[in-house]
Amino acid sequence: MDPSPRSLLVTCFGIDALVAYDAASLVPHASERRRWSTGAGPSGVAVDVKGRQAFVWSQFDRALNVVSLAAM
């Protein structure tokens, strides 16, 4: 959860992406705000609220992706 823009951040295995949804929507999965490509098999996300970044672990690539949330 990214509280500032009220976004729900979800890692998606099938599309290898981090997706931001509108958490205030009655149907968040139908309210996509933004999508970022990640490494293969994204399985976890941590949000640095003050730094406006998300850290996504991609288990198949064994890589940590850093995503800027500043534009949201």
Side-chain angles (χ1 to χ4, degrees):
M1 181 74 185
D2 186 7
S4 177
R6 293 172 31 183
S7 291
L8 179 63
L9 298 170
V10 179
T11 56
C12 300
F13 257 62
I15 59 172
D16 295 332
L18 175 68
V19 181
Y21 295 102
D22 182 357
S25 173
L26 291 175
V27 186
H29 70 274
S31 303
E32 184 176 319
R33 288 185 166 174
R34 186 145 183 214
R35 185 182 293 206
W36 299 266
S37 292
T38 65
S43 58
V45 60
V47 178
D48 174 9
V49 176
K50 288 184 182 180
R52 303 296 305 135
Q53 294 180 318
F55 300 89
V56 180
W57 173 249
S58 297
Q59 72 179 31
F60 298 150
D61 282 344
R62 296 184 182 186
L64 184 65
N65 303 109
V66 180
V67 175
S68 174
L69 301 175
M72 284 188 48

XYZ file of all heavy atoms in Angstrom:
539
model
N 0.849 -1.183 0.000
C 0.000 0.000 0.000
C 0.887 1.236 0.000
O 1.825 1.332 0.773
C -0.890 -0.042 1.236
C -1.816 1.086 1.366
S -3.150 0.891 0.199
C -4.016 2.381 0.446
N 0.605 2.145 -0.890
C 1.283 3.439 -0.939
C 0.258 4.478 -0.506
O -0.646 4.814 -1.277
C 1.794 3.709 -2.354
C 2.631 4.967 -2.453
O 2.942 5.569 -1.410
O 2.965 5.354 -3.585
N 0.344 4.971 0.722
C -0.717 5.811 1.272
C -0.873 7.187 0.635
O -1.976 7.710 0.586
C -0.344 5.936 2.751
C 1.092 5.612 2.830
C 1.405 4.719 1.684
N 0.195 7.770 0.124
C 0.105 9.131 -0.398
C -0.897 9.253 -1.542
O -1.839 10.022 -1.455
C 1.490 9.624 -0.814
O 1.404 10.900 -1.374
N -0.731 8.482 -2.632
C -1.744 8.559 -3.691
C -2.848 7.512 -3.522
O -3.654 7.323 -4.409
C -0.937 8.286 -4.961
C 0.129 7.375 -4.514
C 0.467 7.808 -3.096
N -2.852 6.836 -2.369
C -3.820 5.772 -2.073
C -3.822 4.705 -3.161
O -4.841 4.428 -3.774
C -5.193 6.362 -1.832
C -5.216 7.194 -0.579
C -6.439 7.981 -0.329
N -7.680 7.426 -0.831
C -8.827 8.035 -0.729
N -8.914 9.196 -0.148
N -9.920 7.493 -1.212
N -2.648 4.143 -3.369
C -2.477 3.101 -4.372
C -2.175 1.764 -3.720
O -1.434 1.692 -2.744
C -1.332 3.442 -5.323
O -1.665 4.531 -6.122
N -2.743 0.734 -4.296
C -2.467 -0.634 -3.899
C -1.464 -1.179 -4.906
O -1.739 -1.201 -6.106
C -3.763 -1.449 -3.932
C -3.671 -2.911 -3.570
C -3.223 -3.066 -2.120
C -5.012 -3.574 -3.785
N -0.281 -1.589 -4.431
C 0.770 -2.085 -5.315
C 0.783 -3.608 -5.280
O 0.855 -4.206 -4.212
C 2.131 -1.533 -4.885
C 2.250 -0.009 -4.947
C 3.528 0.460 -4.285
C 2.180 0.474 -6.378
N 0.718 -4.222 -6.462
C 0.610 -5.671 -6.584
C 1.662 -6.175 -7.556
O 1.800 -5.638 -8.658
C -0.798 -6.060 -7.099
C -0.922 -7.567 -7.249
C -1.877 -5.518 -6.174
N 2.385 -7.237 -7.156
C 3.312 -7.879 -8.089
C 2.547 -8.940 -8.859
O 1.699 -9.639 -8.307
C 4.502 -8.533 -7.360
O 4.019 -9.466 -6.397
C 5.363 -7.490 -6.667
N 2.844 -9.050 -10.150
C 2.103 -9.960 -11.027
C 3.059 -10.888 -11.761
O 3.807 -10.452 -12.636
C 1.279 -9.163 -12.026
S 0.086 -8.069 -11.238
N 3.026 -12.178 -11.389
C 3.879 -13.201 -12.005
C 3.681 -13.316 -13.513
O 4.639 -13.342 -14.266
C 3.556 -14.565 -11.381
C 4.556 -15.040 -10.389
C 4.804 -14.340 -9.245
C 5.240 -16.218 -10.609
C 5.724 -14.789 -8.321
C 6.157 -16.687 -9.690
C 6.397 -15.970 -8.543
N 2.462 -13.439 -13.960
C 2.164 -13.728 -15.358
C 2.623 -12.673 -16.342
O 2.894 -12.971 -17.500
N 2.710 -11.422 -15.877
C 3.115 -10.336 -16.772
C 4.432 -9.695 -16.335
O 4.860 -8.720 -16.939
C 2.009 -9.265 -16.885
C 1.674 -8.671 -15.510
C 0.776 -9.839 -17.556
C 0.729 -7.484 -15.560
N 5.058 -10.245 -15.280
C 6.328 -9.714 -14.754
C 6.263 -8.198 -14.602
O 6.990 -7.441 -15.255
C 7.505 -10.124 -15.640
C 7.718 -11.626 -15.644
O 7.374 -12.272 -14.636
O 8.226 -12.153 -16.649
N 5.363 -7.766 -13.720
C 5.144 -6.331 -13.546
C 4.711 -6.013 -12.121
O 4.231 -6.871 -11.381
C 4.073 -5.849 -14.512
N 4.906 -4.751 -11.769
C 4.338 -4.164 -10.562
C 3.205 -3.274 -11.051
O 3.404 -2.449 -11.951
C 5.379 -3.325 -9.818
C 4.878 -2.555 -8.595
C 4.489 -3.512 -7.474
C 5.931 -1.569 -8.116
N 2.017 -3.469 -10.497
C 0.850 -2.720 -10.947
C 0.296 -1.922 -9.777
O 0.163 -2.451 -8.667
C -0.240 -3.656 -11.523
C -1.432 -2.862 -12.016
C 0.330 -4.510 -12.645
N -0.019 -0.645 -10.031
C -0.632 0.224 -9.024
C -2.113 0.364 -9.344
O -2.483 0.699 -10.478
C 0.034 1.588 -9.021
N -2.945 0.082 -8.345
C -4.389 0.220 -8.482
C -4.887 1.306 -7.535
O -4.270 1.563 -6.501
C -5.096 -1.090 -8.127
C -4.783 -2.227 -9.057
C -3.884 -3.212 -8.696
C -5.402 -2.326 -10.294
C -3.591 -4.268 -9.545
C -5.125 -3.382 -11.148
C -4.220 -4.343 -10.766
O -3.938 -5.379 -11.611
N -6.011 1.900 -7.850
C -6.634 2.906 -6.990
C -7.270 2.195 -5.795
O -8.282 1.517 -5.935
C -7.687 3.673 -7.780
C -8.360 4.777 -6.971
O -8.066 4.921 -5.769
O -9.183 5.493 -7.558
N -6.665 2.352 -4.634
C -7.141 1.669 -3.435
C -8.484 2.215 -2.941
O -9.184 1.538 -2.201
C -6.102 1.775 -2.324
N -8.854 3.412 -3.352
C -10.117 4.003 -2.913
C -11.293 3.582 -3.801
O -12.443 3.848 -3.467
C -10.001 5.522 -2.904
N -10.992 2.913 -4.887
C -12.043 2.481 -5.815
C -12.862 1.346 -5.209
O -12.347 0.523 -4.453
C -11.413 2.019 -7.124
O -12.372 1.445 -7.967
N -14.123 1.280 -5.567
C -14.959 0.168 -5.130
C -14.507 -1.140 -5.761
O -14.719 -2.215 -5.210
C -16.430 0.434 -5.474
C -17.102 1.545 -4.678
C -18.514 1.792 -5.192
C -17.124 1.201 -3.202
N -13.884 -1.046 -6.940
C -13.366 -2.208 -7.654
C -11.905 -1.909 -8.032
O -11.621 -1.539 -9.175
C -14.216 -2.508 -8.916
C -13.763 -3.797 -9.568
C -15.687 -2.560 -8.582
N -10.984 -2.051 -7.075
C -9.596 -1.656 -7.342
C -8.965 -2.333 -8.558
O -8.239 -1.685 -9.303
C -8.856 -2.054 -6.061
C -9.899 -2.066 -5.012
C -11.158 -2.497 -5.696
N -9.261 -3.611 -8.790
C -8.631 -4.297 -9.920
C -9.088 -3.751 -11.279
O -8.466 -4.010 -12.299
C -8.854 -5.814 -9.846
C -10.263 -6.232 -10.091
N -11.192 -6.272 -9.081
C -10.897 -6.609 -11.213
C -12.351 -6.665 -9.583
N -12.196 -6.882 -10.878
N -10.139 -2.966 -11.287
C -10.609 -2.342 -12.518
C -10.141 -0.892 -12.632
O -10.520 -0.183 -13.553
C -12.127 -2.401 -12.579
N -9.311 -0.467 -11.680
C -8.853 0.928 -11.636
C -7.335 0.999 -11.653
O -6.708 1.528 -10.733
C -9.391 1.609 -10.383
O -10.784 1.535 -10.335
N -6.743 0.465 -12.709
C -5.283 0.472 -12.811
C -4.784 1.895 -13.041
O -5.289 2.608 -13.893
C -4.833 -0.433 -13.959
C -3.335 -0.555 -14.054
C -2.884 -1.532 -15.124
O -3.512 -2.605 -15.257
O -1.910 -1.210 -15.818
N -3.771 2.276 -12.254
C -3.184 3.608 -12.379
C -1.900 3.605 -13.202
O -1.648 4.505 -13.982
C -2.861 4.177 -10.997
C -4.067 4.575 -10.216
C -3.646 5.229 -8.943
N -4.783 5.912 -8.353
C -4.750 6.479 -7.167
N -3.657 6.450 -6.458
N -5.818 7.068 -6.703
N -1.078 2.594 -12.961
C 0.234 2.563 -13.612
C 0.785 1.146 -13.554
O 0.409 0.360 -12.692
C 1.177 3.526 -12.892
C 2.502 3.673 -13.572
C 3.044 5.053 -13.466
N 4.291 5.084 -14.220
C 5.332 5.799 -13.914
N 5.282 6.595 -12.883
N 6.412 5.774 -14.647
N 1.727 0.863 -14.465
C 2.355 -0.455 -14.525
C 3.838 -0.282 -14.824
O 4.215 0.515 -15.666
C 1.686 -1.258 -15.628
C 2.128 -2.673 -15.738
C 1.437 -3.365 -16.887
N 0.001 -3.502 -16.632
C -0.760 -4.420 -17.148
N -0.259 -5.305 -17.983
N -2.040 -4.476 -16.863
N 4.673 -1.056 -14.101
C 6.116 -1.045 -14.322
C 6.586 -2.464 -14.617
O 6.164 -3.403 -13.945
C 6.872 -0.558 -13.086
C 6.556 0.821 -12.635
C 7.228 1.963 -12.971
C 5.537 1.229 -11.709
N 6.672 3.044 -12.336
C 5.630 2.622 -11.554
C 4.537 0.541 -11.016
C 4.776 3.332 -10.728
C 3.681 1.257 -10.195
C 3.806 2.636 -10.054
N 7.483 -2.624 -15.570
C 8.086 -3.929 -15.849
C 9.076 -4.268 -14.746
O 9.753 -3.379 -14.218
C 8.815 -3.899 -17.189
O 7.898 -3.762 -18.236
N 9.155 -5.547 -14.415
C 10.107 -6.023 -13.414
C 10.851 -7.219 -13.985
O 10.610 -7.625 -15.114
C 9.387 -6.463 -12.125
O 8.567 -7.595 -12.428
C 8.547 -5.347 -11.533
N 11.703 -7.792 -13.177
C 12.357 -9.029 -13.565
C 11.348 -10.168 -13.548
O 10.188 -9.988 -13.157
N 11.791 -11.333 -13.964
C 10.897 -12.491 -14.043
C 10.500 -13.006 -12.661
O 11.336 -13.157 -11.780
C 11.564 -13.609 -14.832
N 9.205 -13.244 -12.485
C 8.691 -13.815 -11.249
C 8.674 -12.880 -10.064
O 9.120 -13.239 -8.984
N 8.115 -11.661 -10.220
C 8.061 -10.758 -9.069
C 7.187 -11.353 -7.967
O 6.041 -11.714 -8.208
C 7.447 -9.479 -9.642
C 6.642 -9.939 -10.798
C 7.382 -11.123 -11.356
N 7.752 -11.486 -6.773
C 7.026 -12.178 -5.709
C 6.879 -11.369 -4.431
O 6.223 -11.817 -3.503
C 7.710 -13.508 -5.388
O 9.051 -13.284 -5.015
N 7.458 -10.198 -4.369
C 7.324 -9.396 -3.164
C 7.599 -7.933 -3.442
O 8.344 -7.596 -4.356
N 6.964 -7.073 -2.657
C 7.165 -5.636 -2.818
C 7.213 -4.983 -1.442
O 6.471 -5.364 -0.533
C 6.062 -4.996 -3.705
C 4.685 -5.180 -3.112
C 6.349 -3.533 -3.967
N 8.121 -4.029 -1.302
C 8.209 -3.208 -0.094
C 8.227 -1.757 -0.548
O 8.854 -1.419 -1.553
C 9.482 -3.528 0.691
N 7.535 -0.894 0.200
C 7.401 0.508 -0.189
C 8.144 1.397 0.797
O 7.963 1.277 2.011
C 5.914 0.924 -0.256
C 5.781 2.391 -0.613
C 5.168 0.060 -1.250
N 8.989 2.283 0.264
C 9.643 3.331 1.046
C 8.827 4.595 0.819
O 8.968 5.261 -0.211
C 11.087 3.511 0.581
C 11.794 4.682 1.242
O 11.232 5.282 2.193
O 12.907 5.012 0.810
N 7.926 4.901 1.748
C 6.992 6.014 1.596
C 7.738 7.344 1.508
O 7.446 8.156 0.637
C 5.964 6.029 2.752
C 5.053 7.232 2.653
C 5.151 4.742 2.741
N 8.687 7.564 2.381
C 9.425 8.836 2.387
C 10.278 9.000 1.140
O 10.375 10.086 0.591
C 10.290 8.951 3.639
C 9.496 9.180 4.890
C 10.396 9.394 6.079
C 9.570 9.564 7.339
N 10.421 9.770 8.516
N 10.916 7.924 0.695
C 11.778 7.989 -0.477
C 11.037 7.854 -1.794
O 11.628 7.987 -2.859
N 9.710 7.580 -1.733
C 8.863 7.426 -2.915
C 9.425 6.380 -3.871
O 9.578 6.592 -5.059
C 8.664 8.756 -3.641
C 8.068 9.865 -2.797
C 6.650 9.620 -2.300
N 5.755 9.322 -3.426
C 4.866 8.343 -3.416
N 4.708 7.590 -2.360
N 4.098 8.104 -4.453
N 9.759 5.190 -3.288
C 10.282 4.079 -4.065
C 9.602 2.787 -3.641
O 9.158 2.653 -2.501
C 11.789 3.903 -3.841
C 12.639 5.023 -4.350
C 14.103 4.759 -4.082
O 14.470 4.295 -3.006
N 14.931 5.056 -5.052
N 9.579 1.847 -4.568
C 9.138 0.491 -4.257
C 10.281 -0.447 -4.615
O 10.993 -0.233 -5.604
C 7.891 0.129 -5.046
N 10.461 -1.466 -3.802
C 11.502 -2.469 -4.022
C 10.793 -3.785 -4.323
O 10.014 -4.263 -3.507
C 12.402 -2.593 -2.793
C 13.087 -1.302 -2.457
C 12.492 -0.381 -1.604
C 14.312 -0.997 -3.019
C 13.105 0.820 -1.305
C 14.938 0.201 -2.718
C 14.339 1.107 -1.865
N 11.053 -4.338 -5.501
C 10.365 -5.540 -5.964
C 11.378 -6.671 -6.103
O 12.366 -6.534 -6.836
C 9.665 -5.293 -7.319
C 8.953 -6.559 -7.785
C 8.682 -4.134 -7.214
N 11.120 -7.778 -5.405
C 11.976 -8.964 -5.522
C 11.424 -9.846 -6.635
O 10.261 -10.224 -6.625
C 12.032 -9.736 -4.216
C 12.766 -11.032 -4.348
C 12.238 -12.291 -4.288
C 14.160 -11.205 -4.587
N 13.211 -13.228 -4.474
C 14.419 -12.589 -4.668
C 15.223 -10.322 -4.764
C 15.680 -13.106 -4.893
C 16.488 -10.838 -4.992
C 16.703 -12.222 -5.048
N 12.287 -10.160 -7.613
C 11.919 -11.046 -8.718
C 12.661 -12.358 -8.532
O 13.876 -12.432 -8.763
C 12.272 -10.394 -10.057
O 11.517 -9.217 -10.227
N 11.938 -13.390 -8.095
C 12.584 -14.619 -7.662
C 13.213 -15.428 -8.782
O 14.229 -16.076 -8.574
C 11.627 -15.483 -6.860
C 10.529 -16.148 -7.634
C 9.668 -16.996 -6.722
O 9.498 -16.698 -5.544
N 9.119 -18.053 -7.263
N 12.660 -15.412 -9.993
C 13.247 -16.213 -11.068
C 14.559 -15.596 -11.557
O 15.493 -16.312 -11.906
C 12.277 -16.379 -12.235
C 11.009 -17.102 -11.861
C 9.825 -16.833 -12.504
C 10.991 -18.059 -10.857
C 8.652 -17.488 -12.167
C 9.824 -18.726 -10.507
C 8.654 -18.432 -11.170
N 14.628 -14.267 -11.599
C 15.859 -13.570 -11.981
C 16.796 -13.371 -10.792
O 17.933 -12.959 -10.971
C 15.540 -12.201 -12.593
C 15.068 -12.282 -14.020
O 15.254 -13.335 -14.648
O 14.506 -11.286 -14.514
N 16.260 -13.611 -9.591
C 17.005 -13.339 -8.359
C 17.560 -11.914 -8.374
O 18.747 -11.661 -8.188
C 18.125 -14.357 -8.159
C 17.583 -15.749 -7.965
C 18.661 -16.725 -7.684
N 18.050 -18.049 -7.550
C 18.709 -19.108 -7.183
N 19.990 -19.032 -6.911
N 18.092 -20.248 -7.076
N 16.639 -10.988 -8.624
C 17.008 -9.579 -8.754
C 16.068 -8.701 -7.936
O 14.889 -9.024 -7.771
C 16.940 -9.166 -10.219
N 16.613 -7.601 -7.454
C 15.828 -6.601 -6.742
C 15.676 -5.401 -7.665
O 16.666 -4.800 -8.078
C 16.520 -6.184 -5.447
C 15.765 -5.211 -4.565
C 14.484 -5.850 -4.028
C 16.635 -4.726 -3.430
N 14.438 -5.089 -8.004
C 14.154 -3.944 -8.861
C 13.758 -2.767 -7.988
O 12.977 -2.931 -7.056
C 13.007 -4.239 -9.832
C 13.275 -5.458 -10.689
O 12.651 -6.491 -10.511
N 14.205 -5.358 -11.607
N 14.268 -1.573 -8.302
C 13.897 -0.361 -7.585
C 13.037 0.462 -8.535
O 13.447 0.785 -9.653
C 15.139 0.444 -7.146
C 14.714 1.699 -6.414
C 16.046 -0.415 -6.282
N 11.830 0.784 -8.081
C 10.854 1.489 -8.910
C 10.570 2.837 -8.273
O 10.237 2.919 -7.084
C 9.541 0.672 -9.010
C 8.476 1.446 -9.763
C 9.806 -0.689 -9.648
N 10.699 3.909 -9.050
C 10.377 5.240 -8.552
C 8.869 5.443 -8.560
O 8.206 5.223 -9.575
C 11.037 6.300 -9.425
O 10.603 7.598 -9.020
N 8.343 5.893 -7.434
C 6.905 6.183 -7.308
C 6.658 7.694 -7.356
O 5.541 8.136 -7.128
C 6.359 5.599 -6.007
C 6.509 4.087 -5.831
C 6.038 3.689 -4.439
C 5.756 3.344 -6.909
N 7.688 8.450 -7.648
C 7.597 9.915 -7.604
C 6.575 10.479 -8.587
O 5.957 11.503 -8.318
C 8.969 10.536 -7.873
N 6.392 9.842 -9.723
C 5.480 10.365 -10.747
C 4.013 10.059 -10.451
O 3.142 10.452 -11.208
C 5.864 9.795 -12.111
N 3.734 9.349 -9.377
C 2.345 9.008 -9.084
C 1.667 10.092 -8.283
O 2.165 10.755 -7.512
C 2.281 7.697 -8.300
C 2.531 6.542 -9.209
S 2.269 4.953 -8.447
C 0.700 5.135 -7.663
